[in-house]
Amino acid sequence: MGSKNKLKRFRENETFSNVIQPTREELINGSPLKGNWHSHFNNTNPIVLELGCGKGEYTIALARKNPNINYIGIDLKGARFWRGAKTALEENLNNVTFIRTQIELIDLLFDKNEVTEIWITFPDPQIKYTRTKHRLTNAEFLKKYHHVLISDGIVNLKTDSEFMHGYTLGLLHGAGHEVLYAHHNIYKNPETPIEVTSTQTFYESQYLEKGKPITYIKFRIRY
């Protein structure tokens, strides 16, 4: 994507009613939306997050299927989720919001027990050991997710990375978290929940065309 195109999208994001772009300092000083997201959506429906939402395809697809659930896509790259935000406005999807910020700040964005479910779709596996702290399912991130999730809140990890799948599964079992479902090739398993295979990202469809297996873990964080 050219720099001019990025700048254009950044400017458009600033005009979109469904895009929020807080600074790190604003979140540290106390976001007015923390604990008040139901007021933002003007309803008391469950709130579901997609972390590292990219172009927002998964957020949009889920929002279309479930109008009585509020979806929030979070990513630092606003030029990417511009497409999802624009689509939501064009289709009058009032249950969709996008936030441009670092995922590590999630506990500054949401209050305890404010989120019902989290989706992590095709994250960078950060394979190098020195990048462990950036893996979205490491122990520190799980603590943050646990803080914002309701007591029976669900986390979903969908990835094409066997490394990420194995790392996460090992960490969950080792820490005593509750694994509800796990499979290393969901499109070859008839027991895979339909909502997992019926929604695909652009990259996921490309991986499938190449015959690459897609893995999935559904779990609850228990401390």
Side-chain angles (χ1 to χ4, degrees):
M1 185 189 301
S3 57
K4 287 186 178 179
N5 212 4
K6 278 188 177 181
L7 290 173
K8 180 183 177 183
R9 292 185 174 188
F10 285 143
R11 287 193 295 269
E12 282 197 57
N13 278 347
E14 292 175 358
T15 70
F16 289 167
S17 59
N18 61 355
V19 171
I20 300 170
Q21 304 185 85
T23 65
R24 191 182 188 94
E25 290 70 27
E26 286 172 342
L27 294 180
I28 291 173
N29 292 330
S31 168
L33 284 170
K34 182 178 180 179
N36 295 297
W37 283 99
H38 286 123
S39 297
H40 169 78
F41 286 105
N42 294 314
N43 61 53
T44 58
N45 295 336
I47 294 172
V48 175
L49 311 181
E50 185 191 4
L51 306 181
C53 66
K55 295 180 180 180
E57 305 128 299
Y58 222 88
T59 296
I60 293 297
L62 292 173
R64 287 177 182 139
K65 294 177 181 178
N66 306 293
N68 294 322
I69 297 177
N70 300 318
Y71 290 92
I72 301 176
I74 301 176
D75 205 298
L76 189 58
K77 297 183 178 180
R80 285 188 184 174
F81 69 58
W82 163 89
R83 179 63 268 171
K86 191 174 182 67
T87 297
L89 291 174
E90 290 170 347
E91 297 184 15
N92 294 315
L93 295 173
N94 297 319
N95 60 331
V96 177
T97 289
F98 289 92
I99 305 174
R100 182 174 182 259
T101 193
Q102 295 100 330
I103 295 169
E104 68 196 59
L105 302 178
I106 187 174
D107 54 339
L108 300 180
L109 272 166
F110 301 95
D111 212 346
K112 190 171 178 62
N113 302 320
E114 198 168 18
V115 174
T116 298
E117 188 170 6
I118 291 173
W119 280 88
I120 305 171
T121 54
F122 301 91
D124 186 332
Q126 307 288 357
I127 293 175
K128 290 184 179 179
Y129 178 77
T130 55
R131 302 290 296 175
T132 302
K133 66 179 181 179
H134 297 288
R135 290 179 201 148
L136 292 185
T137 56
N138 71 29
E140 291 305 311
F141 273 115
L142 293 185
K143 288 178 183 177
K144 291 177 183 287
Y145 305 158
H146 181 259
H147 177 77
V148 303
L149 282 165
I150 61 174
S151 59
D152 283 330
I154 298 292
V155 182
N156 306 274
L157 171 67
K158 199 175 183 184
T159 176
D160 65 304
S161 169
E162 293 180 10
F163 168 83
M164 187 70 168
H165 179 82
Y167 164 82
T168 303
L169 202 55
L171 187 151
L172 294 173
H173 284 310
H177 300 305
E178 183 182 1
V179 177
L180 301 171
Y181 178 93
H183 201 273
H184 63 280
N185 194 344
I186 57 174
Y187 290 95
K188 296 293 185 181
N189 181 15
E191 296 181 4
T192 302
I194 188 65
E195 65 268 20
V196 178
T197 53
S198 62
T199 303
Q200 298 178 3
T201 67
F202 171 76
Y203 291 111
E204 181 176 357
S205 61
Q206 285 193 327
Y207 297 146
L208 289 171
E209 286 179 8
K210 295 176 181 177
K212 195 169 187 180
I214 305 299
T215 74
Y216 171 68
I217 307 173
K218 179 178 183 178
F219 62 96
R220 289 193 179 102
I221 304 167
R222 301 299 194 194
Y223 288 110

